[in-house]
Amino acid sequence: MRKIEHSIKYNILSLLFLIAYIGCMFVLVVESLTPGTKSAQKSNAVGNAVGGFINDLGGDQAKEIDATGCNINLGKEHVFSVGENYKLNVETYPLDSTHKSYEYYSSDETIATVSKSGMVTFVSSGTVTIKAINTVQKEIYDEVALIVNDIMPTKLTTTILNATYNEELNCYEVEKNVSYKIDNLIEQDNDSIMIKLSHTYLR
């Protein structure tokens, strides 16, 4: 919507400029046909005014809007779990600022790493600070402290791969002196992280 409004405004300014330009050119022609020093001075004045108007119009279109601040908007609590990934969202103020790209840094990459695009990967438990710095205006930055917790399992599923499961007895049937591979699946409460542990036992 902002781009459409900007385009309409630019078209209106262009039309007004064209009308003013035609009017000024008409005055210049009339003054040039009128003998006398005063007419020449008027022509120069009008020409200078047209030139100044053109420079002002071009300057307005090329003017950059500096950022005055930014904010890392997490959209959730500052608590994460080991193994999670989270994409940072940085809001720049004012919203129509020219420069909105950022560089990202982690205070401790053993706890969390952050990519060039702002994707944070949580490696181990602890507290880490993530910082975003505007790539052009280095004085514009924001940082957040994040807490990373170990995985808290809420569900454990055990499977004996090479054993027969008896549904009536609700148990596995095993034999003596036979090796069985047991897989343990640990799941977090949000099902976003799963850890699979395999062990071999002799029964």
Side-chain angles (χ1 to χ4, degrees):
M1 181 64 70
R2 186 178 296 275
K3 291 183 178 179
I4 295 176
E5 292 177 353
H6 179 77
S7 177
I8 295 175
K9 179 180 178 181
Y10 179 75
N11 291 335
I12 294 175
L13 288 175
S14 300
L15 180 60
L16 293 176
F17 168 71
L18 179 61
I19 295 173
Y21 178 77
I22 294 174
C24 291
M25 291 301 297
F26 177 76
V27 173
L28 287 174
V29 172
V30 173
E31 290 293 337
S32 64
L33 296 176
T34 304
T37 304
K38 291 184 178 180
S39 296
Q41 292 176 347
K42 291 180 179 179
S43 299
N44 291 333
V46 174
N48 291 333
V50 173
F53 179 77
I54 294 174
N55 291 333
D56 292 340
L57 182 61
D60 291 339
Q61 296 301 321
K63 184 177 179 181
E64 293 185 350
I65 300 177
D66 290 336
T68 58
C70 67
N71 176 55
I72 299 178
N73 184 11
L74 293 178
K76 62 175 293 184
E77 297 181 357
H78 294 199
V79 179
F80 298 86
S81 298
V82 174
E84 277 192 89
N85 295 310
Y86 187 81
K87 180 68 169 64
L88 295 175
N89 176 32
V90 181
E91 295 180 345
T92 307
Y93 305 109
L95 297 179
D96 57 349
S97 301
T98 304
H99 306 292
K100 297 182 179 181
S101 59
Y102 289 85
E103 298 172 346
Y104 301 95
Y105 301 92
S106 170
S107 63
D108 191 341
E109 292 191 345
T110 63
I111 297 176
T113 61
V114 57
S115 67
K116 293 182 179 180
S117 62
M119 179 65 72
V120 182
T121 300
F122 301 99
V123 181
S124 63
S125 61
T127 301
V128 63
T129 299
I130 302 297
K131 189 173 186 178
I133 303 177
N134 193 288
T135 55
V136 177
Q137 295 180 250
K138 301 297 184 179
E139 72 278 8
I140 303 299
Y141 69 89
D142 190 23
E143 56 185 14
V144 290
L146 306 177
I147 300 174
V148 186
N149 293 326
D150 286 324
I151 299 174
M152 301 301 294
T154 58
K155 183 180 180 181
L156 174 63
T157 303
T158 300
T159 304
I160 304 178
L161 299 181
N162 53 334
T164 302
Y165 184 75
N166 191 320
E167 295 184 359
E168 293 182 0
L169 299 177
N170 194 25
C171 66
Y172 284 96
E173 296 178 352
V174 296
E175 300 178 4
K176 292 182 179 181
N177 301 323
V178 176
S179 296
Y180 294 94
K181 186 176 182 181
I182 300 177
D183 282 350
N184 294 313
L185 183 63
I186 302 174
E187 300 180 55
Q188 196 180 12
D189 54 357
N190 59 5
D191 293 332
S192 62
I193 300 175
M194 294 186 295
I195 297 179
K196 190 174 184 180
L197 304 175
S198 296
H199 303 281
T200 300
Y201 292 91
L202 180 64
R203 296 297 185 184

